[in-house]
Amino acid sequence: MRPDHLPAPDRTREHGAAGSATAVAHPNIALIKYWGKRDERLFLPRTDSLSMTLDILPTTTRVRLDPKAEHDEVTLDGVPLEGEARQRVTAFLALVRERAGSSRRAAVDSRNTVPTGAGLASSASGFAALAVAASAAYGLGLDATALSRLARRGSGSASRSIFGDFAIWHAGPPTGSAGDADLGSYAEPVPAAEFDPALVIAVVNAGPKEVSSREAMRRTVQTSPLYGPWAASSEGDLVDMRGALRRGDLDAVGEIAERNALGMHATMLAARPAVRYLSAPTLDVLDSVLRLRRDGVPAYATMDAGPNVKVLCRRADADRVAGVVRSAAGGGSVLVAGRGPGARLLAEDER
C-alpha cells in the first residue's frame, strides 16, 4: 500500500512540474548491515540489509527550479557545497532531470541535524529528502518503491529512509541486465510487532571520518579474507532478524544486530591495509554495554562505519542506558531515538 505522505503515481506529471518542493526525511540505522557494493554506478549492494528509521535528526531539503540558471546551486546548512559532495548532488539532479525530460537547473537548500560524515547516516536522510523533493519539483509522480530506487542512486542507505519503522533493502538479482538489477534493488517496509525499542546513540566523535565509507567498502570487499564469510552469514542473520521483529523480541533483535555489526567491523580490521573505526572511547562504550547486560539490563550494541555506538534497549531502560553510556563515552553527547516516520513532502505552512 502506498504511504499517504508520498505523492500518488503520475498525478503531478499530469499538471506539469511543481517547480518547488520541500521534503523531510530521517536517518536510519541498519540492524543488518549494508557493506559492499557489487555495482558502484547503480549503487547495488552485495547483500540485503534491514534498518530502523529514527524519530530524531531529520534532514529538510528544498528544491526550487530556476529556468534562468546555467548551473545547479547546492547549499548545506547555508554553506555552498564543493568538491565530491557537490558532485554527488548535481549528478543526482541530472538523473532526475533525465527522467523528467527537463533541462531546468535547480537550487537545493538542505538543512541537516545529523553530524555529517560521522557514521550517523547523514547521507541516508539527505538523499531520501532530496529524492522526494526533487521528484516532486520536477513533476515525477513516483510511488514509494520508485522513490526508494531513486534515493538509492544518491546513497544506498537512503533507499531505506523513504520508509518509517523497519525497512529491508533488497540487493536485487545478482545476474541479468543493468535494468533488471536496477528495478530489483529497492527498500520496502518490514512487518514488526508493536513493541517499543529505543536506540541510545553515543557520539564519541562527530567529526568527519578519515576513511570514507566508499573507500572502506571498496577496500574491504577487495582485500579482506573475512568479507565473504560475513556476507554469507548476513543472509542467515536477516532471516533471523525478520522473525525476531515479527515477534517483537527485543533480546533476539539486539543479539542479531550486535553480532552482525561486530562481524562487519571484523571484516574491516582484516582488510589490507586495515580500516579501523574503533577508537578507545568506542571500546569503552562497548564494554559498558556488556556490563549493562551482566547487570540484567537488555542492551545491545550496533555500529555503522564510524566510531559512534548505537545501543538497542527497551524504552523503559533508555535513561539508565544513556547515563551509563554517557559516562563510558567520557562526556560525549548521547541521544535517544525511537521508531521514526518515513520521508514526506512538507506543506507550505510546515516549511
Side-chain angles (χ1 to χ4, degrees), residues 117-138:
L120 287 174
S122 59
S123 63
S125 57
F127 276 100
L130 180 60
V132 173
S135 63
Y138 279 99

Side-chain angles (χ1 to χ4, degrees), residues 7-310:
D10 299 325
R11 186 172 297 162
T12 53
R13 182 180 285 277
E14 295 172 2
H15 303 288
S20 178
T22 302
V24 63
H26 289 71
N28 68 78
I29 298 300
L31 304 178
I32 302 297
K33 298 300 183 184
Y34 152 49
W35 196 245
K37 298 185 184 74
R38 72 177 194 274
D39 187 314
E40 295 201 8
R41 184 181 70 86
L42 294 176
F43 283 76
L44 297 176
R46 290 177 175 267
T47 62
D48 296 345
S49 58
L50 187 151
S51 65
M52 173 177 157
T53 300
L54 308 184
D55 60 358
I56 61 172
L57 305 175
T59 297
T60 302
T61 298
R62 183 188 182 198
V63 176
R64 178 179 55 82
L65 306 190
D66 185 349
K68 297 181 180 180
E70 296 183 0
H71 305 283
D72 294 315
E73 176 184 321
V74 184
T75 60
L76 176 62
D77 297 328
V79 178
L81 274 187
E82 298 179 355
E84 182 182 354
R86 172 184 166 79
Q87 184 178 0
R88 288 180 68 185
V89 174
T90 57
F92 187 86
L93 292 170
L95 175 65
V96 175
R97 277 193 290 271
E98 178 184 358
R99 295 184 177 183
S102 174
S103 61
R104 284 177 290 179
R105 301 291 174 167
V108 177
D109 177 29
S110 190
R111 304 286 169 167
N112 218 359
T113 57
V114 186
T116 301
L120 287 174
S122 59
S123 63
S125 57
F127 276 100
L130 180 60
V132 173
S135 63
Y138 279 99
L140 295 176
L142 303 182
D143 63 15
T145 300
L147 282 168
S148 178
R149 290 193 192 98
L150 177 62
R152 189 198 77 229
R153 297 291 296 272
S155 170
S157 56
S159 64
R160 300 186 305 246
S161 277
I162 296 297
F163 302 97
D165 286 332
F166 301 96
I168 182 173
W169 173 21
H170 300 288
T175 60
S177 68
D180 289 342
D182 182 41
L183 287 174
S185 186
Y186 58 89
E188 64 179 349
V190 171
E194 289 300 323
F195 71 121
D196 192 20
L199 268 176
V200 176
I201 302 169
V203 184
V204 302
N205 187 341
K209 295 170 290 194
E210 291 186 9
V211 181
S212 71
S213 295
R214 283 187 173 188
E215 170 56 26
M217 280 189 189
R218 188 180 297 123
R219 191 187 306 176
T220 302
V221 171
Q222 292 175 353
T223 71
S224 175
L226 300 184
Y227 181 76
W230 173 81
S233 69
S234 193
E235 295 179 8
D237 287 345
L238 181 69
V239 173
D240 293 344
M241 179 65 76
R242 296 190 74 164
L245 288 172
R246 282 194 299 270
R247 299 190 305 272
D249 185 343
L250 184 135
D251 289 290
V253 170
E255 290 171 2
I256 298 162
E258 186 171 277
R259 77 193 186 206
N260 189 265
L262 294 179
M264 181 187 79
H265 279 268
T267 70
M268 289 186 259
L269 289 171
R272 300 169 186 180
V275 178
R276 185 174 71 87
Y277 290 122
L278 308 177
S279 65
T282 301
L283 297 176
D284 288 340
V285 172
L286 292 175
D287 286 343
S288 75
V289 173
L290 292 177
R291 288 195 297 272
L292 280 164
R293 288 211 293 270
R294 285 199 295 266
D295 291 340
V297 179
Y300 303 89
T302 185
M303 298 177 62
D304 292 322
N308 304 307
V309 183
K310 297 85 177 177

